[in-house]
Amino acid sequence: MDFSWTAEQEALRAEAKAVAAAAVARYGWVADSWINGYCPPFARELAQRGWIGISWPTEFGGAGRPAIDRMIIAEELIGAGAPVGSYWVAERQMGPSIYTYGTAEQQLRYLPGILAGEATWCIGMSEPGAGSDLAALRTRAVRDGDGFVVNGQKIWTSFGAVADFVYLICRTNADGPPHAGISELIVPMNSPGIEVRPIKDMAGGAHFCEVFFTDVRVPASNLVGVEGAAFKQTMRQLEHERGGIDRLVSNHALYRRALDRADLGDALVRQEVAEIETRYRLGRLLVYREACGQAPKGFSAATKLFCTEHERRVADFVARTFGSQTLLAGDVARGMCYANSYSIMGGTSNILRNIVAERILGLPREPAAR
């Protein structure tokens, strides 16, 4: 088996590395740049290069290039701390959902803005009391004439304060088993009845938001897929979220800074670096296998579990390397405070272990809480 890169892939990586370095020089370095680096001008630059939607099918405006090309570009951009957040969620998740399950009218209306780097999207998924358990969500959309009326609350909604649209996961039918009756709606964030409250986290970031929906009217034409049968759609969407390179390289830029400072003459430090580098390469193989469609169905849970726990190990290494500086304000302190969120966002590690046990290994289901 040949794991080497092709000449074209090596050239693409070199180009992406140069673009990332130039972006960092102009816009600044951002830790966890796929979620904290909001920079629409850089998104438009990438769109002009044809790098947004590079692996989307050509019939939907993409370049139709292999998914591994997108991974190579993203690994270099995020790994350097270039600010990709304003388009990241839309390109990673919303676009593929719309061209897979959306109507022709929805594809014509929404995909061009994503490809141009002009539209920012957020995902209305997590709720208070439901957390990572989508089957427990309670935000309701009730049919009313030619549309829906939405009421409920979402939380941990990244980019909610700046997004143009929310891709809303909601309940349209409360009858039947918990996994039934779930639908997906596209909701403009300027709709009357939407209130956004940013949440400032302990690391100083404010990308998370609470989003409240009070009698928000949404046209029925904004329904994506089949009403009440979206659970499988949402699970497919999560495959994009959990199996991507962003889950491996969130704090890689900070790691590079620590590596420059580390005492590599110390045998223990060298051993820890060797372990981190080994895990990074293993994580990259898992991510690339997801991108190439070679991973078993549902295996993105295992990929995210491995990669985000690697990121937490990186954060520990960074803290030990910078020592007392970790206690001061700045990127290092912020990185340490933020690190625990890696294994929570997009499904906690415990939820993912249950998924691996039940859906991949076929072990008995966890007993329901009493």
Side-chain angles (χ1 to χ4, degrees):
M1 187 175 293
D2 183 5
F3 282 95
S4 59
W5 303 105
T6 66
E8 291 77 12
Q9 289 167 339
E10 292 281 14
L12 180 62
R13 186 177 294 281
E15 183 181 359
K17 187 173 292 187
V19 170
V24 168
R26 279 179 288 132
Y27 302 116
W29 170 82
V30 186
D32 310 296
S33 68
W34 65 274
I35 202 161
N36 284 311
Y38 180 75
C39 184
F42 186 49
R44 290 191 287 271
E45 289 179 30
L46 296 178
Q48 289 171 1
R49 286 181 171 274
W51 284 4
I52 296 181
I54 189 172
S55 60
W56 291 13
T58 54
E59 60 265 40
F60 299 114
R65 288 170 61 173
I68 202 164
D69 285 2
R70 176 178 177 271
M71 291 293 164
I72 290 170
I73 293 169
E75 185 177 3
E76 294 303 325
L77 295 179
I78 301 173
V84 300
S86 67
Y87 75 90
W88 184 254
V89 169
E91 195 245 9
R92 176 189 70 184
Q93 220 162 323
M94 280 39 281
S97 293
I98 292 170
Y99 70 62
T100 302
Y101 302 108
T103 64
E105 189 275 336
Q106 289 169 348
Q107 291 159 0
L108 285 172
R109 184 173 182 182
Y110 298 111
L111 296 181
I114 297 174
L115 290 166
E118 299 284 354
T120 297
W121 289 60
C122 62
I123 308 172
M125 194 173 290
S126 296
E127 294 187 5
S132 300
D133 184 5
L134 287 177
L137 62 81
R138 294 185 295 180
T139 293
R140 293 290 307 273
V142 178
R143 275 278 188 176
D144 183 34
D146 59 354
F148 295 90
V149 177
V150 179
N151 283 282
Q153 179 192 353
K154 296 293 179 179
I155 195 169
W156 313 125
T157 307
S158 296
F159 301 112
V162 293
D164 301 292
F165 303 96
V166 55
Y167 195 92
L168 183 69
I169 317 298
C170 57
R171 186 169 294 284
T172 49
N173 190 336
D175 298 331
H179 294 77
I182 292 175
S183 300
E184 296 180 347
L185 297 175
I186 297 172
V187 185
M189 285 297 287
N190 60 0
S191 302
I194 292 181
E195 180 187 359
V196 180
R197 299 178 187 172
I199 300 171
K200 191 166 185 177
D201 62 42
M202 64 184 293
H207 63 84
F208 287 131
C209 296
E210 292 180 286
V211 183
F212 296 84
F213 299 84
T214 304
D215 295 331
V216 177
R217 297 197 65 85
V218 181
S221 59
N222 285 22
L223 173 72
V224 181
V226 179
E227 181 177 344
F231 190 79
K232 289 184 177 178
Q233 289 177 207
T234 307
M235 290 299 102
R236 177 67 189 117
Q237 185 189 127
L238 285 172
E239 296 281 304
H240 296 295
E241 180 174 347
R242 291 172 174 166
I245 193 75
D246 41 326
R247 298 301 187 177
L248 178 68
V249 298
S250 296
N251 57 358
H252 198 68
L254 198 57
Y255 167 69
R256 288 176 174 173
R257 292 189 171 197
L259 206 55
D260 290 338
R261 184 188 178 103
D263 179 7
L264 298 179
D266 185 308
L268 292 178
V269 174
R270 289 165 62 90
Q271 186 172 330
E272 185 171 9
V273 169
E275 183 176 350
I276 288 174
E277 294 288 343
T278 301
R279 287 180 174 274
Y280 182 82
R281 282 156 178 76
L282 289 172
R284 187 162 67 179
L285 286 177
L286 292 176
V287 168
Y288 280 32
R289 195 170 68 146
E290 298 278 352
C292 294
Q294 298 172 352
K297 186 178 179 182
F299 198 77
S300 64
T303 299
K304 184 200 179 265
L305 179 62
F306 181 90
C307 292
T308 54
E309 297 210 343
H310 161 79
E311 290 177 325
R312 292 184 63 175
R313 288 172 185 268
V314 168
D316 290 343
F317 170 76
V318 170
R320 280 192 292 278
T321 302
F322 281 91
S324 59
Q325 190 174 333
T326 308
L327 302 176
L328 304 175
D331 293 330
V332 178
R334 186 200 162 280
M336 275 305 299
C337 293
Y338 199 78
N340 284 329
S341 69
Y342 298 141
S343 53
I344 297 175
M345 295 185 295
T348 68
S349 288
N350 283 343
I351 289 286
L352 298 180
R353 287 190 175 93
N354 271 344
I355 291 174
V356 171
E358 295 171 6
R359 300 181 194 172
I360 298 176
L361 301 179
L363 298 178
R365 293 184 65 83
E366 181 182 35
R370 295 181 178 177

